[in-house]
Amino acid sequence: MMNKPIKVNVQTPKITLQAKAGLEIIQYGTLTVGETTTLAAGENATVLNSGTIENAVLNFGIPKGHDGTNGIDGTDGTAATIAIGTVTTGEPGSSASVVNSGTATAAVFDITIPRGDKGADGTGAGDVIAAADNAFTATNTFYGVLKTKSDMQAVGSLPTVLQRGDSNIQTYTLKNGLSRSVVFRDTGDMTGYAKTFIISVARSGGTGTFSIGSNNGIGANTPTVYMVDGALPDIVDGEVLKIAMEVNEPANAIFIYILGKVAL
C-alpha cells in the first residue's frame, strides 16, 4: 500500500565551492518525503532516494507486523438456577417481598405474601337455612332457628331414602324396638356425581337396629356398598354413632366410613 508524496523542504548542508579570486558559491538543496509503502511482515524496512543529491525524494518501505497468535478458549461457566424457597403469609397491611437467600448464580427466592384484612361484620336478621354443602362449626353464631330439611328423621321402621338434593345432616334416634335403615336412590342423571352424608344415630331404650339398606340406586345403576371400616357397631342407650355415607357415581359405589362412637 502506498501513500501520496508529501513535500518537505529541508535545507541540505551548505556546499561551499572555491572560485576564482576568492569568490564563494553557496548552494542549498531540498528534501521531499515521497511514497510510503507497506511491506510484507518480516521484510526489512527501506528508505530509497528517487531524487537527486540536491533535491532528495525519500521513499519509505515499512513492513507490517506479524499476526498475533490465537487465544486459548475459556472454560464454560456454570448455568444459573432459580428455585422457590419459603412462602410465608405476612400480616395484613405489610408489604409483599421476594428475598434471594441463595447466590447470584443459584438463586433461592423466599416469598412473603400478606393476607387480606378482615372484612366488616355482616348485618341481618331471620332464620338461617343450611344449604347441602354447608359445614357449621362451634364458632358460628346464629340468630334465629337453624333448620335443615333432614333433621330428626326417626319415625317408623321403613328405610329413609336419601337423594343428592338432601342436606348432609341426617339424625336418627332408635326408640324402643324401632329399627332404622337408610338407602340412596336417585334415578336422575348422576354422571360424575359424588356426595357425602354425615349420619348420627342415637339410642333411647329398646333393641332396635340401624343398617344401610340394600336397594340403593345411582341413576340407572345398582351400586356396590363397601364397609370401609368393617360392620356397623351396636350402640347402647345413651351412645351416639357417627358415620359417613359417600355416594360415588364414577365408581358406582357407596362407601361407609365409621367416624366414631361416643357416650353422652
Side-chain angles (χ1 to χ4, degrees), residues 71-137:
I72 300 174
D73 291 340
T75 57
D76 293 337
T78 302
T81 61
I82 297 176
I84 300 299
T86 60
V87 179
T88 305
T89 301
E91 293 299 320
S94 62
S95 298
S97 66
V98 178
V99 177
N100 181 10
S101 60
T103 64
T105 58
V108 178
F109 291 151
D110 297 330
I111 303 172
T112 299
I113 304 173
R115 67 172 179 265
D117 290 317
K118 180 181 178 181
D121 293 338
T123 59
D127 295 343
V128 176
I129 301 176
D133 295 328
N134 280 1
F136 300 103
T137 66

Side-chain angles (χ1 to χ4, degrees), residues 33-75:
V33 176
E35 297 175 347
T36 301
T37 304
T38 300
L39 304 178
E43 293 187 12
N44 295 324
T46 60
V47 179
L48 299 175
N49 181 9
S50 60
T52 63
I53 294 177
E54 295 84 7
N55 297 296
V57 178
L58 302 182
N59 298 319
F60 292 86
I62 302 173
K64 64 181 179 180
H66 291 283
D67 292 337
T69 58
N70 294 329
I72 300 174
D73 291 340
T75 57

Side-chain angles (χ1 to χ4, degrees), residues 209-224:
T209 60
F210 177 80
S211 62
I212 305 299
S214 60
N215 56 338
N216 296 280
I218 302 179
N221 299 317
T222 300
T224 301

